[in-house]
Amino acid sequence: MDRNPALQRELFKQFKGNPHVARRDVAYLFDRTLSNSGQPIWFGTQNYEPADVFAIQCINGAQVVNILRDQNGNEYGELTEDSIRMVSKRLHAYGLPPIDKQYQNTVKKNKIRLKTGRAIMFLRTVNHLNQ
């Protein structure tokens, strides 16, 4: 199912209004469906983990600052305070913790160091742009 966006979209339709399905599971499924369809995610629940970076995938509507590029052409940036609040509200509505709590230690895990110690977000890769 993980690589079948059509099935994921159908499950999402069935699950989103179902009172027996945890709202947090709906949020994870929605983000996974968007990610597997090549679209920016909504809740910040999906990660991008090449060999030396742990990052949130690109989040719809989120802004980043301090953009860095690694040796492979991947671009990363820190979520702005406004974006952290925006995404955290989305997460709260689905019973999930705020984005900065989920990813508060990401910078410590990374070889790329950013100033604020906040979560970083993956923007794109050169290879992705050429596809």
Side-chain angles (χ1 to χ4, degrees), residues 6-131:
L7 175 60
Q8 290 172 337
R9 282 190 293 276
E10 181 57 37
L11 289 173
F12 175 73
K13 287 178 193 174
Q14 292 177 24
F15 290 171
K16 78 177 187 180
N18 187 328
H20 302 291
V21 177
R23 291 179 54 85
R24 68 177 174 0
D25 293 339
V26 173
Y28 278 100
L29 177 60
F30 186 57
D31 270 2
R32 180 58 62 105
T33 302
L34 291 170
S35 176
N36 287 339
S37 299
Q39 299 174 51
I41 60 179
W42 187 255
F43 296 101
T45 64
Q46 304 299 301
N47 301 317
Y48 177 77
E49 299 182 51
D52 62 348
V53 177
F54 179 84
I56 306 164
Q57 290 183 9
C58 184
I59 301 171
N60 189 322
Q63 301 296 314
V64 294
V65 293
N66 300 329
I67 296 173
L68 301 173
R69 184 183 296 245
D70 70 14
Q71 68 276 9
N72 298 318
N74 299 311
E75 291 184 349
Y76 302 87
E78 299 173 55
L79 291 167
T80 64
E81 291 297 323
D82 286 343
S83 292
I84 288 170
R85 282 190 293 278
M86 174 192 70
V87 175
S88 291
K89 284 180 185 176
R90 292 175 184 173
L91 289 163
H92 178 72
Y94 279 76
L96 292 164
I99 194 78
D100 54 345
K101 288 226 187 236
Q102 288 186 37
Y103 296 99
Q104 64 188 350
N105 294 318
T106 57
V107 175
K108 292 177 186 174
K109 294 180 182 179
N110 293 323
K111 292 179 183 174
I112 294 175
R113 298 285 180 206
L114 300 175
K115 292 178 185 176
T116 67
R118 294 278 190 170
I120 61 173
M121 184 172 74
F122 164 72
L123 298 175
R124 61 181 179 264
T125 65
V126 172
N127 291 337
H128 182 270
L129 295 174
N130 292 332
Q131 291 179 355

